[in-house]
């Protein structure tokens, strides 16, 4: 289970962002209250494309009961959601769609890549599939598994809560947003290319060109 | 299973040397027909009493691993009244032009099936009303994924694939007919209006020709 470093904005943040104001007890108390409210009322925007979405439905249903975390309100509209949960593989054809959905969500917003395919492309190392949604949008929490069990997903959500509780209003760069042009990549081209290097997978083929 | 399928005999007596070899595989009869007269044969199979293959189960295509073997377009026909099925194949040698007549005039359901074959194998269907890619996006420039000479990961690098994919506007899959309808409703973005006026399909974004040829 991996948690990406803080800084949800598209560009990431400059290193060593230091506020001139040092955190005093008012700010830390307010931070605590704001983060408590945010962490306990995440409104998910489920982007379910495959079997992970089934597992997510099981997590939302009564046995595992996401409403314990204040997450029972599914926002099937990016404008009424602050938590994009990508459950399943994302083919290249959906890449502009998920980026547009992310761009339409208001700040503050967080993203979780649920399952192997959303995190890395999984077994679909082929011509049609993005190799992880972090090539398109920034991701806060990666949940491995194929698909992850509801317990795994809930653990990922709790890690996200932990991350949200660590945010502070002094570091506004977390919420800075720089929407990318259509076609612009989030990371250097060489990083994206590196993702298709073989991992000892039997389907790995040499490119003909 | 040595009995010849009655439809194959009828086809031979009707079309003579337009009908190629036939065989039986796992109880299904396969018959090869000549590509140039395939449309007549399909109409005949559908409309002739005692044939009445009025249901097109599937259209698909095959490329064999043996590079010398021709591509095949495969039609699975079924007669709902007679409960009989027949598999018709057309062989397309790789050095000829990969085109057959569309059977959409015969069975309307062939529309998307033929688009899928066009998308995945690059076989052209003459007379198809709307021959566009259906699974890959409209500006996909790497070729035809199910051909044997297509590498599993595609021709381009990952970053180039992602760049082109992100360039594809989610609206760009609309056909010109759909764009006309949206235009009539006053519902069309400016760039799409422009495209509709030119009557053009979308271009590969920011591409030089050399790039899109892979």
């Amino acid at each position: 289970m991996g948690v990406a470093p803080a800084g949800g904005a598209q560009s990431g943040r400059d290193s060593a962002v230091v506020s001139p104001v040092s955190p005093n007890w008012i700010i830390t108390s307010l931070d605590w209250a704001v983060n408590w409210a945010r962490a306990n009322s995440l409104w998910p925007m489920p982007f379910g494309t495959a079997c992970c979405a089934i597992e997510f439905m099981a997590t939302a249903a009564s046995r595992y009961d996401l409403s314990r975390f204040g997450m029972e309100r599914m926002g099937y509209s990016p404008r009424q959601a602050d938590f994009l949960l990508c459950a399943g593989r994302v083919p290249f054809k959906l890449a502009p769609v998920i980026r547009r959905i992310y761009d339409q969500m208001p700040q503050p917003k967080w993203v979780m890549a649920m399952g192997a395919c959303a995190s890395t492309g999984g077994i679909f190392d082929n011509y049609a599939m993005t190799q992880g949604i972090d090539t398109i949008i920034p991701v806060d929490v990666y949940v491995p598994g194929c698909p992850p069990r509801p317990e795994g997903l809930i653990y990922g959500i709790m890690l996200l809560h932990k991350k949200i509780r660590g945010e502070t209003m002094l570091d506004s760069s977390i919420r800075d947003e720089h929407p990318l042009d259509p076609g612009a990549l989030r990371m250097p081209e060489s990083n994206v290319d590196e993702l298709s290097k073989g991992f000892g997978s039997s389907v790995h083929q040499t490119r003909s060109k | 299973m040595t009995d010849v399928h009655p439809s194959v005999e009828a086809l031979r007596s009707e079309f003579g040397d337009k009908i190629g070899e036939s065989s039986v595989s796992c109880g299904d009869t396969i018959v090869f027909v000549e590509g140039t007269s395939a449309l007549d044969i399909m109409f005949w199979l559908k409309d002739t009493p005692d044939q009445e293959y009025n249901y097109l189960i599937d259209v698909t295509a095959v490329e064999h691993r043996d590079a010398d073997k021709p591509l095949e377009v495969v039609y699975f026909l079924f007669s709902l009244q007679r409960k009989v099925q027949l598999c018709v194949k057309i062989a397309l040698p790789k050095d000829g032009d990969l085109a057959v007549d569309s059977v959409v005039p015969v069975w309307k359901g062939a529309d998307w099936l033929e688009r899928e074959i066009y998308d995945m194998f690059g076989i052209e269907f003459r007379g198809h009303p709307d021959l566009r890619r259906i699974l890959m996006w409209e500006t996909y420039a790497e070729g035809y994924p199910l051909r044997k000479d297509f590498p599993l990961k595609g021709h381009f690098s990952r970053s180039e694939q992602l760049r082109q994919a992100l360039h594809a506007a989610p609206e760009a899959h609309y056909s010109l007919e759909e764009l006309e309808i949206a235009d009539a409703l006053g519902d069309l973005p400016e760039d799409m209006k422009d495209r509709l006026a030119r009557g053009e399909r979308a271009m590969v974004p920011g591409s030089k020709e050399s790039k899109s040829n892979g």
Side-chain angles (χ1 to χ4, degrees):
Chain A
M1 196 93 48
V3 180
Q10 290 266 22
S11 67
R13 58 170 175 168
D14 301 336
S15 54
V17 177
V18 183
S19 166
V21 187
S22 67
N24 55 33
W25 69 269
I26 301 177
I27 287 172
T28 50
S29 308
L30 212 52
D31 271 343
W32 179 86
V34 168
N35 292 338
W36 173 82
R38 283 177 176 172
N40 290 299
S41 67
L42 286 172
W43 283 9
M45 157 82 215
F47 192 84
T49 50
C51 35
C52 279
I54 303 293
E55 215 65 16
F56 173 67
M57 286 178 232
T59 316
S62 49
R63 185 178 176 92
Y64 293 95
D65 199 11
L66 269 186
S67 58
R68 289 180 294 157
F69 307 96
M71 288 178 69
E72 75 276 28
R73 194 272 184 191
M74 303 290 158
Y76 289 98
S77 148
R79 293 171 202 277
Q80 278 86 41
D82 56 7
F83 174 51
L84 177 57
L85 194 143
C86 180
R89 63 192 100 92
V90 178
F92 282 126
K93 207 174 174 181
L94 274 180
V97 176
I98 192 172
R99 171 171 282 178
R100 182 175 294 187
I101 287 173
Y102 178 80
D103 285 345
Q104 285 177 343
M105 285 167 62
Q107 291 281 6
K109 56 187 171 186
W110 300 272
V111 178
M112 180 187 282
M114 177 184 178
C117 303
S119 304
T120 66
I123 60 168
F124 298 102
D125 192 10
N126 62 22
Y127 64 93
M129 216 59 73
T130 56
Q131 300 301 298
I133 60 166
D134 51 3
T135 56
I136 312 165
I137 55 176
V139 175
D140 293 287
V141 180
Y142 302 84
V143 181
C146 188
R149 283 189 57 84
E151 293 92 328
L153 179 60
I154 289 172
Y155 182 56
I157 289 167
M158 287 165 71
L159 280 182
L160 183 66
H161 287 181
K162 203 171 168 186
K163 183 173 179 176
I164 293 171
R165 283 198 297 269
E167 292 177 359
T168 169
M169 64 184 74
L170 288 180
D171 184 2
S172 63
S173 69
I174 297 176
R175 298 286 151 240
D176 278 350
E177 200 170 349
H178 306 282
L180 297 172
D181 294 334
L185 302 182
R186 253 197 81 242
M187 46 176 80
E189 282 195 2
S190 55
N191 287 18
V192 181
D193 288 341
E194 221 170 36
L195 296 172
S196 65
K197 296 271 161 57
F199 293 103
S201 140
S202 61
V203 298
H204 182 65
Q205 294 181 345
T206 340
R207 271 162 200 283
S208 67
K209 288 190 179 93
Chain B
M1 297 315 288
T2 49
D3 297 341
V4 181
H5 195 294
S7 292
V8 176
E9 282 188 339
L11 275 171
R12 282 196 201 288
S13 61
E14 181 72 22
F15 291 97
D17 59 354
K18 302 276 193 288
I19 307 301
E21 60 180 281
S22 66
S23 57
V24 177
S25 169
C26 305
D28 293 335
T29 300
I30 301 163
V31 58
F32 279 85
V33 304
E34 197 178 287
T36 46
S37 42
L39 193 60
D40 294 336
I41 294 171
M42 296 300 183
F43 266 120
W44 186 85
L45 279 172
K46 188 190 176 192
D47 296 335
T48 310
D50 297 340
Q51 303 299 332
E52 295 164 305
Y53 289 97
N54 48 5
Y55 176 41
L56 180 68
I57 298 174
D58 198 7
V59 185
T60 184
V62 180
E63 179 172 9
H64 292 276
R65 191 180 289 180
D66 183 352
D68 301 329
K69 279 194 171 178
L71 284 163
E72 292 166 2
V73 183
V74 189
Y75 301 85
F76 293 100
L77 313 182
F78 187 71
S79 169
L80 291 170
Q81 291 90 342
R82 297 165 54 231
K83 307 209 184 334
V84 178
Q85 62 173 332
L86 180 66
C87 171
V88 180
K89 287 188 177 184
I90 300 172
L92 291 174
K94 283 182 187 169
D95 46 4
D97 63 334
L98 298 176
V100 291
D101 287 323
S102 168
V103 297
V104 174
V106 193
W107 297 280
K108 253 197 143 177
D111 188 337
W112 284 12
L113 303 172
E114 290 184 343
R115 278 178 67 186
E116 186 179 344
I117 298 172
Y118 166 72
D119 190 355
M120 290 288 130
F121 287 90
I123 295 170
E124 204 177 312
F125 289 87
R126 285 182 294 246
H128 190 283
D130 182 27
L131 195 63
R132 291 177 295 132
R133 284 189 181 272
I134 187 170
L135 295 174
M136 308 311 287
W137 58 98
E138 200 181 349
T139 54
Y140 187 71
E142 290 183 63
Y144 303 104
L146 288 190
R147 297 289 293 273
K148 293 289 183 217
D149 57 3
F150 189 92
L152 179 62
K153 292 181 183 179
H155 288 298
F156 298 165
S157 67
R158 281 291 183 217
S159 54
E160 178 64 17
Q161 286 172 339
L162 189 64
R163 195 182 68 80
Q164 293 201 357
L166 285 172
H167 255 296
E171 291 87 0
H173 61 276
Y174 290 160
S175 66
L176 292 176
E177 287 77 13
E178 284 169 295
L179 289 179
E180 273 168 16
I181 294 168
D183 192 36
L185 294 171
D187 212 18
L188 202 61
E190 281 304 317
D191 55 331
M192 292 285 157
K193 267 186 194 163
D194 187 41
R195 197 172 131 198
L196 180 64
R198 284 184 279 115
E200 273 175 18
R201 293 189 176 158
M203 301 291 289
V204 177
S207 71
K208 298 120 208 161
E209 270 307 301
S210 57
K211 235 176 199 175
S212 59
N213 289 339

